[in-house]
Amino acid sequence: MTNKATDHRFIIEMGMGNDQYGMDYQKAAARAIESAIRRSAIPMYSTTALDPSQMRVQVTIGVQDPDKIDTDALAACLPRGNATVTATFGGHNVVNPDTGDTIVIATAAVEAFLPDQSGNYTAG
């Protein structure tokens, strides 16, 4: 298990997602997370002895109504590591003046941390 006090962040990715027709904050948040992690690859797990379960993943979702986010469901969808998701006020709602429909826009910051590895390597 990792320790927040000694962990080192090695990835931060940002993403944006939306729901154009259903005002579904959960769908917009899931799309924002997917947008962020689609641009990341972590090849170190296939080339080192590091265990992906050591990775702590911290996700912050910004939406206009954070209470509509099921953070546990979003965390369960992340492919690696021990994930936590926090929903906070942010994102944006855009109202179409012609139809009254609201587009929900969510933002995501996905951060990955590993425990301090400095004691695990020796100079060669």
Side-chain angles (χ1 to χ4, degrees), residues 28-87:
R31 289 175 175 170
I33 292 170
E34 183 178 331
S35 168
I37 65 175
R38 275 187 174 206
R39 292 186 301 275
S40 293
I42 309 175
M44 72 180 167
Y45 291 116
S46 61
T47 60
T48 67
L50 290 173
D51 181 351
S53 69
Q54 291 182 305
M55 181 173 61
R56 178 170 60 88
V57 180
Q58 181 176 304
V59 179
T60 305
I61 296 292
V63 291
Q64 289 290 294
D65 194 346
D67 292 337
K68 292 188 177 177
I69 299 297
D70 181 346
T71 56
D72 291 335
L74 292 172
C77 292
L78 287 155
R80 287 192 174 140
N82 299 303
T84 59
V85 176
T86 303

Side-chain angles (χ1 to χ4, degrees), residues 84-103:
T84 59
V85 176
T86 303
T88 187
F89 183 79
H92 199 71
N93 286 354
V94 179
V95 178
N96 181 333
D98 298 323
T99 65
D101 292 336
T102 300
I103 298 171

